[in-house]
């Protein structure tokens, strides 16, 4: 039985600036209740202003990664205004993840459904265990997963996304890997080591370059090709003027490791 006084979201930070946020509502399969969304929003807002943070790992406790919205909570107050507010708040959390200046890695140890699948799709990177499964299964309850479709359709191919949305069927971890929903799939005992390999590669790079690159990456995705190149040119020129890039290029010329 879960301690009712336990925090919904756990946070740890190591000496490198790697923050791990852990969804801590295992008895409810880490459903995104109103309180969970509020806790995530508060934490993400704080992280956005914390220059000591270099990477975020989004993990979860218990058997499931995230089962989506809290259906009991949703059913208790059936009004259009309530649902608009709830889904707007969920969307703000997803946008906050995307707008963080550092990469966010989903550490997926179990099932991720509906808004839980949306959460995985929203994270910049995702590592999953072989037994993880993914679905946008609201349609099985008569509810098309409209908001999860936004992140899902920006990760996997159009036909794959639509099939998942209208059938509610699960993808295995290996299918999710093949279709682009996750980056890596490993045995359960190797999950933390694989996440750490990604983290170590990220924190070895200059934070300023990664932050500029992440912002550009998502901005250009929504543009036409010509506008995307114009934006990328400006970003790359500004990046080149940053001390870390100047030092990195000089180190390459000098055939030595960069002094970041």
């Amino acid at each position: 039985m879960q301690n009712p006084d336990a925090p919904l979201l756990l946070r740890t930070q190591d000496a490198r600036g790697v923050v791990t946020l852990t969804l801590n509502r295992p008895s409810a399969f880490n459903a995104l209740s109103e309180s969970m969304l509020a806790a995530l929003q508060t934490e993400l807002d704080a992280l956005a202003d914390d220059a000591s943070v270099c990477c975020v790992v989004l993990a979860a406790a218990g058997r499931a990664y995230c089962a989506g919205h809290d259906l009991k909570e949703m059913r208790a107050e059936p009004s259009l205004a309530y649902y608009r507010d709830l889904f707007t708040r969920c969307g703000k959390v997803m946008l906050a993840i995307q707008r963080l200046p550092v990469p966010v890695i989903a550490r997926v140890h179990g099932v991720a459904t509906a808004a839980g699948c949306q959460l995985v799709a929203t994270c910049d990177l995702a590592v999953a265990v072989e037994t993880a499964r993914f679905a946008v299964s609201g349609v099985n309850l008569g509810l098309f997963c409209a908001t999860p479709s936004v992140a899902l359709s920006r990760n996997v191919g159009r036909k794959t996304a639509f099939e998942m949305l209208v059938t509610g069927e699960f993808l295995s971890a290996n299918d999710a890997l093949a279709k682009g929903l996750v980056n890596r799939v490993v045995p359960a005992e190797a999950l933390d080591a694989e996440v750490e390999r990604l983290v170590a590669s990220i924190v070895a790079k200059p934070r300023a370059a990664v932050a500029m690159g992440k912002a550009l990456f998502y901005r250009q995705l929504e543009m036409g090709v010509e506008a995307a190149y114009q934006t990328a040119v400006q970003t790359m020129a500004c990046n080149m003027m940053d001390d870390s890039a100047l030092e990195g290029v000089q180190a390459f010329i000098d055939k030595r490791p960069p002094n970041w």
Side-chain angles (χ1 to χ4, degrees), residues 147-216:
T147 45
S149 78
V150 175
L152 182 67
S153 62
R154 284 162 170 76
N155 277 241
V156 304
R158 185 175 299 183
K159 284 185 168 56
T160 293
F162 196 77
E163 180 178 347
M164 290 179 68
L165 288 160
V166 296
T167 67
E169 293 176 356
F170 279 90
L171 282 186
S172 68
N174 285 326
D175 283 342
L177 176 65
K179 296 179 186 300
L181 183 57
V182 302
N183 297 83
R184 303 177 185 185
V185 171
V186 293
E189 62 272 17
L191 179 59
D192 287 328
E194 195 66 25
V195 170
E196 172 55 28
R197 271 191 279 275
L198 264 180
V199 167
S201 182
I202 290 166
V203 299
K205 312 302 189 296
R207 186 183 189 276
V210 173
M212 278 189 273
K214 177 173 173 176
L216 176 276

Side-chain angles (χ1 to χ4, degrees), residues 89-112:
R89 280 189 281 159
C90 184
K92 286 181 178 178
V93 167
M94 303 300 163
L95 286 171
I97 291 172
Q98 186 171 303
R99 290 169 179 165
L100 274 185
V102 299
V104 181
I105 303 170
R107 177 195 178 277
V108 188
H109 73 289
V111 68

Side-chain angles (χ1 to χ4, degrees), residues 103-135:
V104 181
I105 303 170
R107 177 195 178 277
V108 188
H109 73 289
V111 68
T113 57
C117 188
Q118 179 184 6
L119 196 60
V120 175
T122 299
C123 289
D124 306 301
L125 300 161
V127 181
V129 298
E130 293 169 328
T131 54
R133 297 194 301 155
F134 306 85

Side-chain angles (χ1 to χ4, degrees), residues 216 220 223-236:
L216 176 276
Q220 63 83 26
M223 297 176 174
V225 172
E226 185 174 352
Y229 270 114
Q230 290 173 353
T231 303
V233 164
Q234 180 65 17
T235 298
M236 203 160 186

